[in-house]
Amino acid sequence: MWRLNKVRHKAGGHANSLEELRTKRREKERALRQARRDRQLVSKRLLLNEDEEQDTMEVAPGEQDVVTLFQILHHGGTEKEAFLRPLSKALRDPSAQLTFIKLENSMHLLVGLLTGSDARCRLQAVRCLHELSHSPHTSVASACLPATPYLLTYLSGQSTKFTELCLYTLGNICPDSERVKERLLAQGIIPALAGCIQNHRHNLAVVEAAGFALFQLLQSKDAAQKVIPTVLASSLPSQLLSVLTPDPDFGLAPAIECAWCLHSLTSSSENHRELLAQGALRQCCSLLVSLGGAVADGNTDQGLELLVCPLLRCVGNLLSSCPAEALHSQLGGVDLVAPLCELVVALLHTLPALAKETAWVLNNLTAHSTESCSALLTLNLVPRLLELLPFSQGINTMVLRVLANVAHKKKEFCVRLAELGLLSALTATLKMADQNVVTLSLEVLFMIIVSCPQVCRA
């Protein structure tokens, strides 16, 4: 089964200090994705510089070091790369970042080196910009604006490391300022990202970075008006969907980034015609069934749930906007009912929040589809759902909604539900303290009684 690699794809040194730093940063990235699962979280990423062990110049990070290094670079010389390396290291200090952007012509110097003919200096200049983009000070992002047209231009390049740095730098400065976002949109960041993914579609490291940058862009308050329409009109949706096939060697990270982008798109409005037309529901369902089977079989790979979560939300949102008559063709033969039931049970004790989201998707599916309601009965899945009613945290509420959907569809379904023990289960839920559970239980009981006279006698 796929796994989220602990150590990324990049080649580099094997020193213990670098290995520890690499592991810590990957753990931090996993923590950021974990937090994103529960709420829309804008975060920044700092790529590990694996060439640091080659540095021979010892420079302690600090404001004075930044000033000294800037003066050396400003006055020329042939060994600029040797001073750019310690400058990027010094720029990790937040106070040094502020000092640097206040120096006259400091950003002009970096842009000049970024656009120069020396490839090594270009790489170190973008590394400096990347360190600046990770700053906690929002003013630093605006100071980076003179470099953004060149960063966007370089997205069409072939160097993996350089392109990654450009993408993560752009993604980092997106959340800090509406002015920055407006400028990036005007400069064509969306077509640039689309072109980048197209050119590097086989380079998953770059695809992951592009997904991160796009997600950051999609988190603006006015994204639904200013960003998402342009994204939907581009080739990005189809490209994001094409990434939803995790690579066994590289891991889940690119698919996770792209799935969260799709989640942002499906959460923006109630009309998803463009995404449905591109097969988004079928693609998301297919991967969800595959991952759900792995979870149900006991797979506990790190990061697996971080992909399941956005997929669940995508499927739930797409189901709610898919016309009932088109649902069968949109699913493309993917059977969702049984895998969703298995996934709810599998996640119940370890990840109850995801179990609730899975039940929510099942609710959206059964609300639209009589066939899905019938499948719950014919596959004898109702007893498994009844076993979930004692569980709180919103799980029993969602299960009751699913049962209400089934009861609402046909009188024959009500009879079958009664035969499968629904009445005794409702007797227990009616005694619960949760008012929503009691209300839903009464609604289901009412539908059963109206449809089945024999239930009244019982």
Side-chain angles (χ1 to χ4, degrees):
M1 186 54 205
W2 309 296
R3 60 190 178 85
L4 184 64
N5 295 339
K6 291 182 179 178
V7 180
R8 279 263 299 267
H9 52 281
K10 302 188 189 72
H14 300 282
N16 290 336
S17 58
L18 272 179
E19 189 69 28
E20 291 172 6
L21 183 59
R22 184 186 298 113
T23 302
K24 286 180 181 179
R25 287 184 176 170
R26 292 304 288 172
E27 288 173 354
K28 183 179 179 182
E29 286 182 14
R30 281 197 293 270
L32 289 170
R33 290 195 180 103
Q34 185 78 24
R36 189 198 294 170
R37 194 192 75 189
D38 300 320
R39 63 187 184 278
Q40 294 298 84
L41 178 68
V42 172
S43 58
K44 295 191 176 188
R45 303 277 176 85
L46 185 64
L47 280 188
L48 173 66
N49 185 0
E50 297 186 349
D51 298 326
E52 282 186 0
E53 64 175 7
Q54 300 173 9
D55 292 346
T56 57
M57 188 178 298
E58 291 293 330
V59 180
E63 298 176 49
Q64 188 58 45
D65 298 309
V66 166
V67 175
T68 302
L69 290 167
F70 168 74
Q71 290 173 344
I72 294 172
L73 289 166
H74 184 65
H75 288 95
T78 57
E79 297 298 325
K80 290 186 177 180
E81 183 200 3
F83 295 98
L84 281 169
R85 287 177 179 273
L87 176 62
S88 68
K89 192 185 257 186
L91 286 174
R92 291 176 191 169
D93 185 343
S95 60
Q97 293 163 353
L98 290 177
T99 300
F100 183 79
I101 65 171
K102 292 175 183 177
L103 292 171
E104 186 177 359
N105 291 326
S106 59
M107 296 308 297
H108 179 74
L109 172 71
L110 279 186
V111 170
L113 294 168
L114 178 67
T115 57
S117 58
D118 190 324
R120 295 175 302 171
C121 283
R122 286 200 302 269
L123 179 61
Q124 294 308 318
V126 78
R127 168 65 65 182
C128 291
L129 288 166
H130 182 60
E131 296 289 350
L132 286 171
S133 74
H134 200 256
S135 173
H137 305 292
T138 56
S139 59
V140 177
S142 296
C144 292
L145 274 175
T148 55
Y150 306 103
L151 295 175
L152 291 171
T153 300
Y154 285 136
L155 296 187
S156 58
Q158 297 303 313
S159 168
T160 296
K161 182 185 292 186
F162 192 82
T163 307
E164 271 190 286
L165 283 167
C166 291
L167 286 165
Y168 281 114
T169 301
L170 290 166
N172 284 344
I173 65 176
C174 276
D176 283 341
S177 165
E178 286 301 315
R179 175 170 169 256
V180 171
K181 270 183 186 169
E182 294 275 350
R183 185 73 66 86
L184 288 173
L185 288 170
Q187 291 170 349
I189 187 172
I190 291 175
L193 289 174
C196 180
I197 295 178
Q198 176 63 29
N199 294 335
H200 294 273
R201 58 188 178 277
H202 302 302
N203 189 333
L204 293 178
V206 173
V207 172
E208 177 188 354
F212 165 77
L214 178 60
F215 178 81
Q216 297 285 82
L217 194 65
L218 289 168
Q219 300 317 298
S220 58
K221 294 178 181 178
D222 54 0
Q225 293 77 37
K226 295 185 177 180
V227 181
I228 289 175
T230 310
V231 171
L232 291 175
S234 72
S235 59
L236 279 170
S238 61
Q239 291 169 339
L240 294 173
L241 289 168
S242 69
V243 183
L244 296 186
T245 308
D247 183 88
D249 298 320
F250 190 88
L252 298 173
I256 291 173
E257 294 297 342
C258 293
W260 279 106
C261 290
L262 288 167
H263 167 251
S264 296
L265 295 177
T266 60
S267 301
S268 64
S269 68
E270 296 180 358
N271 188 346
H272 304 122
R273 284 195 305 269
E274 296 95 339
L275 290 171
L276 289 170
Q278 296 185 50
L281 182 57
R282 179 171 57 255
Q283 183 77 5
C284 290
C285 286
S286 179
L287 179 55
L288 183 60
V289 168
S290 176
L291 295 175
V295 173
D297 290 340
N299 190 303
T300 57
D301 284 353
Q302 286 181 320
L304 199 62
E305 75 277 7
L306 302 179
L307 180 53
V308 170
C309 179
L311 285 174
L312 283 170
R313 295 179 182 179
C314 286
V315 171
N317 288 332
L318 291 169
L319 284 171
S320 66
S321 65
C322 181
E325 63 274 10
L327 183 58
H328 182 74
S329 61
Q330 284 291 339
L331 289 175
V334 178
D335 178 22
L336 266 184
V337 177
L340 286 175
C341 290
E342 291 178 2
L343 191 56
V344 174
V345 175
L347 296 171
L348 191 61
H349 297 289
T350 55
L351 295 165
L354 274 189
K356 178 185 175 182
E357 299 222 26
T358 308
W360 167 70
V361 175
L362 187 60
N363 167 64
N364 285 5
L365 179 63
T366 52
H368 279 69
S369 169
T370 302
E371 289 182 3
S372 298
C373 294
S374 178
L376 282 173
L377 296 167
T378 56
L379 297 174
N380 200 31
L381 296 170
V382 171
R384 301 193 75 178
L385 293 179
L386 296 180
E387 293 173 0
L388 301 175
L389 290 177
F391 292 90
S392 57
Q393 300 187 54
I395 295 172
N396 49 10
T397 303
M398 282 299 168
V399 171
L400 283 167
R401 291 186 184 278
V402 172
L403 295 170
N405 291 337
V406 176
H408 180 70
K409 289 290 189 291
K410 288 184 179 181
K411 289 184 179 181
E412 295 86 346
F413 290 174
C414 290
V415 175
R416 187 70 183 124
L417 286 172
E419 292 172 351
L420 290 170
L422 179 58
L423 289 180
S424 59
L426 291 177
T427 303
T429 55
L430 284 168
K431 299 175 183 177
M432 291 183 177
D434 190 326
Q435 186 176 349
N436 289 332
V437 172
V438 174
T439 302
L440 284 168
S441 300
L442 287 170
E443 290 178 2
V444 175
L445 182 59
F446 175 77
M447 284 187 280
I448 298 290
I449 290 174
V450 169
S451 301
C452 310
Q454 61 268 37
V455 172
C456 296
R457 293 191 293 274

